Every structure is written in structure tokens, then in C-alpha cells.
Amino acid sequence: MADIVGGSTPSKDEASYWEDGTIAWATPSDVTKLPIGVTKINRTASSINDKAIKGLSLRLLPPGSVLMTSRATIGYPVINLVPMTTNQGFANFLPSRHYDPTFLTQWIIYNRLNLERLAGGSTFLEISKKSLKSFPIALPPLHAQRRIAEILTSVDEAIQATQAVIEQTRKVKQGVLKRLLTRGIGHTRFKLTEVGEIPETWELKPLGELCTLTNGNGFRPTEWTSHGLPIIRIQNLNGSREFNYFAGTPKDKWIVDPGDLLFSWAGVRGVSFGPHLWDGPRGVLNQHIFKVHSCSEVDKFWLFFAMTLVTTRIESKAHGFKASLLHVHKSEITNQLIAVPPKPEQEKIVHRLNALSEAEQASREELASLKETKSALLSDLLSGQKRVFIDNLAAAE
């Protein structure tokens, strides 16, 4: 179907290969960091020069080639829009009259798991060119490839647009959250405090005066069962619904009901660490997570947003592997100073922030629906279960 060529890495010790580089040189991270649905690339993090191309006999890939990651991270394709070369972590399909590059990228995405199964290696997985060349592909006529690529690309564009809306909503929400939690609603008089200016009528209190924190239990593997109450672990705070279960008699302080406020004091920065409103079933709380009991003068949902605002401050005091798994002491949470409005204003703030949260959630649900649609189309169109309507394209070809 096409010639497949690899790449190489010029020696980093040979500065003359990299100085004033103008030729794009791709590594797998240039591809994997692209947003979902983006399958074209016109720049890379590193560039090399003509001396490297000539000295190492590197193959310069013409625009329209399909670059596929083939080592460690397998099956991530991209089409180059400019002349480009790659490191050794790629299998690169040169342009051919037999295939449409966008069709091929979609086919690779659909067959990623199958391609991974072809890979071998002890240190890291790698798929050889020999294995790749022998892997069968159901290749429809070129005009059908183009029509299939057009359909799938339109879904990708919808996914990218929805992701952009989510990101923009998230940024707006962060800005509104900070403004409402530090400036309030309708205030004209402010006072200077340790956390900056806050409304004159608000109080500054440590978090420990607004709530109490109770830790979860360290359930041992011998206590895990296949029935009973689900054990809520850190991974479940990120949406996972894979549980171990506890069939014994739980203490009241371990019980978590839907809507309870939790705080993961050990987790991944920006992912699992910090406050969460539990949206799963009734269960028991595992260790490394606090259940947050708000005081009577504090709205639980306002407290969730207030804890969200100070999470970055708490993370800055974290121990452990700061690039991956964080953990903090209880006092590093409870000592955080919070600007506290009267409860009626807390409820008004929550109402405004919930409106933004609902808009973000609606976009996330739309995104999930689009991804399901894309998955179904990939299966139907690339397996031939559904045929595309061809009219002028075939005639033109």
C-alpha cells in the first residue's frame, strides 16, 4: 500500500546538527500531546539542520505522509503539513496513490489495540516494519476512503469545538469563582487582610473553624469482598466505578452518602488531590481521604468552592513525589485562611457558580456523546458494515 520508513536521532552531543535548525524533527510526544481529534502537525518541539539530514542520511518526509508512533506508545498517527523527519519511535507511511492519508490515520486509531498486540520487546514495546507491512487492511476504493475520512473528520471537528467550549467555560468559571469568593456580590467597601482585600462585612477564619475532618479507614485486602458497601478510594474520586467491597459492620464515621463533601489529602495534582462532592453510591471511605463536616453557619457547597480556591495553596505545602503523588498533613489544610461571607451570601454565590458548573457539565455530556458517535462510526465505516454514499467523488476520480 505504501513504503514505510523509520527515523533516527542525531547525536545530542553534536551541536552542529541542531544549531539554527529549520527542519521539523518529530518525537512521539509531539504527537501524543495533541488534543483528541487533531491529526495534523506543522511544527515540532525540536528542529535539526541540513547537516544532520545529510550526515545521517535521514529521510525527509514529504507533506502528506502519515507518521505513526511505533515504539513504547504505539498507534498514534498524524499527517505532516510541512517537510519533516522523525526519531526512531515512528513508522512513517510515505504518500501513495493507493491511500488517502486521513483515511489511514482514522484506520490506525481504530486499530490501535490490534497494532499494540503486534508489538514485542522487553524494555519497551515496539512494532517492527515487517509486522506492520504484513498486517492486513480492508482498503476500499480511493473515493470511498475520502468520503469516510470526510465523515470522520467532521465528527473530530465537532469534538475539538466542544473541547474548546469546555476549556473556555472552565477558565471563565475559575475567574468567576475567584472573584465571587474574594469580592462577593454587590459590595463597595473592602478591608485589607492576610489574603488580600475582602468585603468589610466578611470574616477571615482558618478552615479548621468552618468544618471538621474525619479520615477514612485503611481497609486491608483481607477485608475486601465482592459484596457489601463499596470502598471509596482515590481513583473513585476521578469517576472510576470499579470498587472493592466491605461486608463487615462499618463505623458511622466511615459512611459516605451521595453529595457528601470529601477531600483527598493524597493524590495527583490537579486530578485527584483536593475537594470532591461525592457523586457515586453510598459506601465506606478508604484512607487518605477526609470526610468534611461543615459547621452550621457554613453552606457545604460554598465550602466546596472555597476549598477549591485554596487547593493550589495547599498543594504548595505538599510532601511526597510532587510531580506525581502529593500528600499533606491535616494542619496544612485546616490552617488555610478563608474569607467567610454570611450564610445567605454563601448560598447566592453557590447559585451563580452552579450555573457555570451546569453549563460545563452539559458540554462534557455532549463531548461524551460525540466520542461515542465517533467510536460507532469508526467501527461501522472501517469494517465495511456500513457503506458510504458515493456520487460525484467516484465520477471525479
Side-chain angles (χ1 to χ4, degrees):
M1 186 186 79
D3 289 331
I4 303 174
V5 300
S8 184
T9 301
S11 173
K12 297 286 186 179
D13 294 330
E14 184 54 70
S16 64
Y17 290 155
W18 303 89
E19 289 174 349
D20 302 323
T22 58
I23 301 170
W25 176 77
T27 67
S29 62
D30 288 313
V31 178
T32 56
K33 72 181 181 183
L34 293 173
I36 294 175
V38 175
T39 57
K40 294 180 179 173
I41 187 171
N42 61 6
R43 66 178 65 181
T44 54
S46 300
S47 299
I48 58 177
N49 55 32
D50 283 331
K51 181 179 179 181
I53 293 286
K54 295 173 182 174
L56 300 174
S57 300
L58 289 175
R59 184 69 175 263
L60 191 59
L61 305 169
S65 302
V66 176
L67 289 54
M68 186 195 83
T69 58
S70 61
R71 177 182 286 189
T73 303
I74 293 173
Y76 286 78
V78 71
I79 301 168
N80 61 321
L81 299 178
V82 298
M84 190 171 290
T85 185
T86 73
N87 76 357
Q88 58 277 15
F90 286 85
N92 304 309
F93 297 77
L94 296 177
S96 160
R97 63 183 177 84
H98 298 296
Y99 78 88
D100 177 83
T102 302
F103 174 86
L104 181 58
T105 60
Q106 299 289 352
W107 181 89
I108 290 171
I109 292 169
Y110 176 60
N111 284 279
R112 185 172 293 152
L113 289 178
N114 291 326
L115 292 168
E116 286 176 349
R117 293 189 185 102
L118 288 179
S122 54
T123 305
F124 45 74
L125 291 177
E126 181 170 16
I127 183 170
S128 68
K129 281 190 286 187
K130 181 179 179 182
S131 297
L132 197 56
K133 287 178 177 177
S134 64
F135 192 75
I137 175 172
L139 199 63
L142 195 57
H143 55 265
Q145 293 180 40
R146 289 172 177 155
R147 180 59 180 149
I148 291 171
E150 183 181 281
I151 293 170
L152 295 174
T153 299
S154 67
V155 182
D156 280 341
E157 290 172 351
I159 288 174
Q160 292 168 38
T162 305
Q163 286 176 322
V165 170
I166 292 172
E167 179 61 18
Q168 183 61 28
T169 304
R170 188 186 64 79
K171 289 180 180 177
V172 169
K173 182 181 170 184
Q174 285 180 332
V176 173
L177 184 146
K178 184 176 182 180
R179 179 170 54 78
L180 287 175
L181 293 177
T182 56
R183 310 291 288 181
I185 300 173
H187 293 276
T188 57
R189 298 175 67 87
F190 297 89
K191 60 186 177 185
L192 188 60
T193 70
E194 292 174 65
V195 298
E197 280 194 344
I198 64 173
E200 203 170 66
T201 56
W202 289 17
E203 295 182 82
L204 193 63
K205 292 185 176 182
L207 189 53
E209 291 185 16
L210 306 178
C211 62
T212 56
L213 306 177
T214 54
N215 200 11
N217 182 55
F219 293 95
R220 298 186 299 273
T222 53
E223 296 176 292
W224 297 352
T225 64
S226 58
H227 61 284
L229 289 169
I231 299 171
I232 300 167
R233 296 178 293 170
I234 291 173
Q235 66 199 65
N236 301 124
L237 301 181
N238 299 329
S240 169
R241 290 297 177 259
E242 293 183 5
F243 293 107
N244 296 318
Y245 292 85
F246 176 68
T249 303
K251 293 182 179 179
D252 288 345
K253 66 178 184 179
W254 300 347
I255 295 293
V256 173
D257 287 308
D260 278 349
L261 177 55
L262 308 175
F263 191 101
S264 171
W265 56 271
V268 178
R269 187 193 306 272
V271 180
S272 55
F273 187 91
H276 300 264
L277 287 168
W278 177 240
D279 60 355
R282 192 170 203 251
V284 289
L285 193 62
N286 199 34
Q287 61 186 345
H288 299 140
I289 307 172
F290 287 129
K291 183 176 177 180
V292 182
H293 309 266
S294 55
C295 300
S296 58
E297 70 271 21
V298 171
D299 181 276
K300 176 180 66 176
F301 300 102
W302 171 84
L303 185 59
F304 164 72
F305 289 120
M307 295 180 88
T308 300
L309 185 65
V310 299
T311 292
T312 302
R313 271 192 256 155
I314 298 171
E315 287 176 343
S316 69
K317 298 180 179 299
H319 318 287
F321 303 99
K322 292 195 174 186
S324 53
L325 187 65
L326 307 176
H327 63 81
V328 294
H329 300 304
K330 190 174 186 178
S331 61
E332 290 164 338
I333 300 172
T334 56
N335 288 343
Q336 290 297 321
L337 292 174
I338 304 287
V340 185
K343 195 168 184 179
E345 189 173 357
Q346 294 176 24
E347 293 168 351
K348 289 181 181 176
I349 290 172
V350 168
H351 180 73
R352 294 194 181 188
L353 290 172
N354 277 347
L356 285 172
S357 296
E358 289 168 5
E360 183 180 5
Q361 181 58 28
S363 295
R364 290 191 183 281
E365 290 173 2
E366 182 181 352
L367 180 63
S369 176
L370 285 168
K371 288 181 176 177
E372 287 181 10
T373 299
K374 171 74 183 296
S375 179
L377 284 172
L378 279 171
S379 176
D380 289 344
L381 296 176
L382 297 182
S383 66
Q385 292 179 31
K386 287 188 178 178
R387 307 293 294 273
V388 293
F389 176 73
I390 306 295
D391 46 15
N392 294 335
L393 285 171
E397 190 180 326

